[in-house]
Amino acid sequence: DVQLVESGGGSAQAGGSLRLSCAASGAARSIECMGWFRQVTGKEREVVAAIDTGDGSTYYLNSVEGRFTISHDNAKNTLYLQMNDLKPDDTAVYYCAAGPWRDDFVRTGKGAHAWGQGTQVTVS
């Protein structure tokens, strides 16, 4: 089993920055892919970014590309999301997840092995 614990998040002004972290434990070395997803109440969950933990390949939601950077520290089994130039539309609960490097997981989170508890990001 894999356990994911998120940290970071909070409030920021538009144009500001925040950094999210997600520490993996348990069978962390078996993780192929990790991603950040976000959800606004009443709306469907959407992928923000994902990374192949083996070769570092990344995938980004169009609206965050160029502003957000996903990275993974293999030694620390920790996933990061650096969010710059934040916009009010980025306001959501952000979740990290671990799963297979496969299209349905990367784009929707379907088939995830584990999810973090979620952290609120509010941009005003």
Side-chain angles (χ1 to χ4, degrees), residues 7 10 17-18 27 53 56 69 72 96 119:
S7 59
S17 299
L18 287 172
T53 60
T69 302
H72 182 259
C96 66
T119 185

Side-chain angles (χ1 to χ4, degrees), residues 3-85:
Q3 294 81 45
L4 303 175
V5 178
E6 300 165 16
S7 59
S11 298
Q13 298 278 342
S17 299
L18 287 172
R19 188 193 198 203
L20 305 182
S21 300
C22 174
S25 61
R29 294 184 185 278
S30 68
I31 298 173
E32 292 181 358
C33 176
M34 295 189 75
W36 290 99
F37 298 79
R38 66 188 182 188
Q39 189 166 24
V40 176
T41 302
K43 294 187 177 180
E44 288 190 0
R45 179 180 63 211
E46 64 179 0
V47 63
V48 176
I51 186 167
D52 181 318
T53 60
D55 66 12
S57 298
T58 56
Y59 173 86
Y60 289 96
L61 179 69
N62 283 345
S63 62
V64 309
E65 193 153 19
R67 299 189 296 120
F68 291 9
T69 302
I70 189 171
S71 60
H72 182 259
D73 186 327
N74 286 335
K76 296 181 178 180
N77 290 321
T78 300
L79 179 72
Y80 302 97
L81 184 69
Q82 178 65 43
M83 303 184 291
N84 298 329
D85 191 23

Side-chain angles (χ1 to χ4, degrees), residues 110-122:
K110 185 178 180 180
H113 303 317
W115 289 92
Q117 78 279 12
T119 185
Q120 177 71 45
V121 170
T122 302

